[in-house]
């Protein structure tokens, strides 16, 4: 980005879009109040060294999109006459900017995708997801970025860094009462779902072909393939179940609701072929039952039938593609592998800055034709059980 760093431009913004710093500020103008939001979020408290919000934002962009360390950013700022800050002061400013940057991302993302910003009424929807990255270098230590993405506010609410051996959890971060946590199959375990319920939240999680175990009203095991075939016959299956974990006799039990949709024939065949490829790649032979069940979307939820009919469940789950889209931007456009922070607030500031940069660069581009995985017909066309 010409004008951001003296001498060199930031590769992403300059090559991808030709934006300079005035262009960045121009694109933000009208979408968000930089000064007011920086003050209200606590990102800009003392103006003795950094006098305005646009200078603070420039510091964030310089660290995230450039090759500089905190000390390098400090030296660049001094040479440029922007501010005379130590490397520790730069670190503190970036850490304190995490919430503010998330606020900026939410406004730009809402302008880019107003259909997602509309949400589903007054409930708070959040997507819980994780991705594995490998920073550059001879010793590539893979680590996992765990996120909680606010689908109502369209911003990352929680970002945690761990080694790749730490499991994904549905109750990552702070579960707020009344929120609905949406997640993929990696989060379909009883402990996480029970923790969300205990904190006053609800869950909407995709289920795998094998986990977790399901019981009927008298405690007998339910067979997934039989349930899927019933859904294929009627167009939809929506029934109460008990989710079982741990020991078969003393393991945790959680009441839940199981909803199954058959995918359209072409989507079902693609899903089954993907299941075969995954099995070949990981060195195991998938059972015929598992391959057949890949053609169904199976969701577990704690949401009541009266307020959440099947169509609304499906519409809510499809909003999860927002976090997938955010990861796609961060990996393919910005380069998430360059993440150089393990402090949670610095990592959150880094990711929000990178996401903001990619959103600003593509603001004039046509929308990508991206659909959620396992696409189903429009929710309004799904046939309910009689």
């Amino acid at each position: 980005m010409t004008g951001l760093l003296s001498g060199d431009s930031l590769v992403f913004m300059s090559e991808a879009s030709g934006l300079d710093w005035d262009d960045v500020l121009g694109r933000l103008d009208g979408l968000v109040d930089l000064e007011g939001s920086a003050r209200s979020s606590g990102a800009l408290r003392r103006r003795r060294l950094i006098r305005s919000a646009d200078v603070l934002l420039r510091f964030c962009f310089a660290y995230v999109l450039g090759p500089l360390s905190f000390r390098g950013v400090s030296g660049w700022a001094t040479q440029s006459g922007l501010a005379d800050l130590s490397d520790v002061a730069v670190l503190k400013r970036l850490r304190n900017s995490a919430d503010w940057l998330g606020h900026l991302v939410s406004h730009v993302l809402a302008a880019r995708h107003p259909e997602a910003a509309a949400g589903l009424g007054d409930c708070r929807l959040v997507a819980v997801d994780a991705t594995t990255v490998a920073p550059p270098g001879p010793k590539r230590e893979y680590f996992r970025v765990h996120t909680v993405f606010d689908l109502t506010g369209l911003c990352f609410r929680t970002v945690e860094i761990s080694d790749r051996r730490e499991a994904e959890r549905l109750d990552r971060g702070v579960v707020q009462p009344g929120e609905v946590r949406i997640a993929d199959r990696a989060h379909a375990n009883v402990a996480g779902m029970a923790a969300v319920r205990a904190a006053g939240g609800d869950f909407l999680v995709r289920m795998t072909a094998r986990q977790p175990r399901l019981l009927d009203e008298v405690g007998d095991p339910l067979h997934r393939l039989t349930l899927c075939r019933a859904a294929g016959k009627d167009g939809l299956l929506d029934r109460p179940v008990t989710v079982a974990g741990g020991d078969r006799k003393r393991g945790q039990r959680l009441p839940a609701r199981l909803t199954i949709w058959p995918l359209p024939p072409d989507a079902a065949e693609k899903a089954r072929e993907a299941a075969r490829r995954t099995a070949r790649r990981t060195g195991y032979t998938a059972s015929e039952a598992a391959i057949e069940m890949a053609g169904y979307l199976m969701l577990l939820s704690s949401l009541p039938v009266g307020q959440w009919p099947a169509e609304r469940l499906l519409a809510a789950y499809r909003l999860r593609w927002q976090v997938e889209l955010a990861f796609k931007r961060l990996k393919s456009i910005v380069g998430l592998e360059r993440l150089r922070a393990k402090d949670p607030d610095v990592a959150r500031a880094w990711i929000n800055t990178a996401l903001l940069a990619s959103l600003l660069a593509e603001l004039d581009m046509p929308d990508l034709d991206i659909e959620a995985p396992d696409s189903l017909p429009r929710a309004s066309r799904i046939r309910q059980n009689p």
Side-chain angles (χ1 to χ4, degrees):
M1 181 189 296
T2 54
L4 268 179
L5 295 176
S6 56
D8 289 320
S9 62
L10 293 178
V11 174
F12 164 67
M13 296 291 271
S14 62
E15 292 186 355
S17 62
L19 293 177
D20 59 22
W21 190 243
D22 289 336
D23 291 327
V24 171
L25 297 179
R27 293 191 174 208
L28 286 170
D29 186 36
L31 294 179
V32 66
D33 176 8
L34 275 182
E35 294 292 332
S37 59
R39 286 195 305 271
S40 62
S41 66
L44 194 62
R45 296 171 183 170
R46 300 173 61 191
R47 295 176 180 268
R48 182 170 60 86
L49 297 176
I50 295 182
R51 299 183 178 278
S52 62
D54 65 290
V55 173
L56 177 60
L57 183 62
R58 196 168 175 181
F59 268 85
C60 297
F61 273 55
Y63 176 68
V64 172
L65 301 182
L68 301 179
S69 63
F70 290 123
R71 182 172 296 178
V73 173
S74 171
W76 159 76
T78 301
Q79 283 188 332
S80 303
L82 286 176
D84 187 9
L85 294 176
S86 68
D87 55 345
V88 174
V90 172
L91 166 63
K92 290 180 178 179
R93 296 302 192 282
L94 193 68
R95 181 186 288 148
N96 291 337
S97 299
D99 289 336
W100 175 54
L101 293 163
H103 174 80
L104 301 183
V105 167
S106 68
H107 280 71
V108 177
L109 194 53
R112 179 71 174 163
H113 296 287
E115 76 285 355
L120 289 169
D122 57 358
C123 61
R124 198 77 178 175
L125 304 179
V126 298
V128 182
D129 205 355
T131 187
T132 302
V133 299
K139 295 183 179 180
R140 294 169 64 86
E141 296 182 3
Y142 290 80
F143 59 90
R144 186 166 285 163
V145 180
H146 306 268
T147 65
V148 177
F149 189 82
D150 192 323
L151 293 166
T152 308
L154 295 174
C155 62
F156 285 103
R157 196 172 79 192
T158 299
V159 175
E160 298 178 9
I161 310 296
S162 74
D163 63 45
R164 59 177 175 175
R165 290 178 291 276
E166 183 172 327
E168 299 179 38
R169 300 199 326 265
L170 189 63
D171 59 329
R172 182 73 59 175
V174 178
V175 180
Q176 298 178 359
E179 73 181 18
V180 179
R181 294 209 156 198
I182 306 172
D184 62 11
R185 288 169 284 200
H187 300 82
N189 65 79
V190 182
M193 291 186 287
V196 170
R197 292 296 291 142
D202 283 290
F203 60 84
L204 176 59
V205 179
R206 189 174 177 186
M207 191 175 65
T208 73
R210 300 183 64 180
Q211 295 294 332
R213 289 188 295 119
L214 302 179
L215 308 177
D216 62 15
E217 58 275 5
V218 297
D220 292 332
L222 286 168
H223 300 284
R224 281 172 169 70
L225 185 56
T226 301
L227 297 172
C228 287
R229 287 173 175 172
K233 179 180 178 181
D234 296 333
L236 171 69
L237 183 141
D238 195 354
R239 58 161 294 170
V241 296
T242 297
V243 185
D247 185 85
R248 289 182 178 273
K249 292 184 178 180
R250 295 183 297 274
Q252 194 169 16
R253 300 289 187 268
L254 181 70
R257 173 184 172 194
L258 173 66
T259 312
I260 303 177
W261 292 269
L263 302 180
D266 55 343
E269 185 52 41
K270 288 180 181 178
R272 287 168 180 143
E273 182 55 37
R276 295 186 187 99
R277 287 197 305 270
T278 299
R280 288 194 298 267
R281 186 173 65 249
T282 52
Y284 74 93
T285 302
S287 67
E288 289 302 317
I291 296 300
E292 182 177 345
M293 284 187 284
Y296 296 83
L297 177 63
M298 299 178 283
L299 297 179
L300 282 171
S301 68
S302 60
L303 298 163
V305 177
Q307 296 176 338
W308 286 82
E311 295 97 331
R312 194 182 186 200
L313 286 182
L314 176 59
Y317 186 75
R318 286 174 63 88
L319 285 178
R320 203 186 69 84
W321 68 271
Q322 283 289 346
V323 71
E324 299 286 354
L325 192 56
F327 282 142
K328 183 182 290 291
R329 289 189 180 98
L330 290 170
K331 283 191 169 182
S332 63
I333 302 177
V334 181
L336 183 59
E337 285 73 16
R338 295 199 302 269
L339 176 61
R340 291 171 285 157
K342 292 192 176 181
D343 177 282
D345 287 331
V346 176
R348 195 156 50 94
W350 197 101
I351 288 178
N352 280 329
T353 300
L355 185 55
L356 177 63
S358 66
L359 287 168
L360 289 173
E362 66 179 26
L363 205 54
D364 293 336
M365 298 178 186
D367 283 327
L368 299 175
D369 184 18
I370 296 177
E371 287 196 30
D374 306 316
S375 299
L376 288 164
R378 290 186 179 274
S380 60
R381 298 177 187 170
I382 294 177
R383 186 156 48 92
Q384 292 279 348
N385 279 342

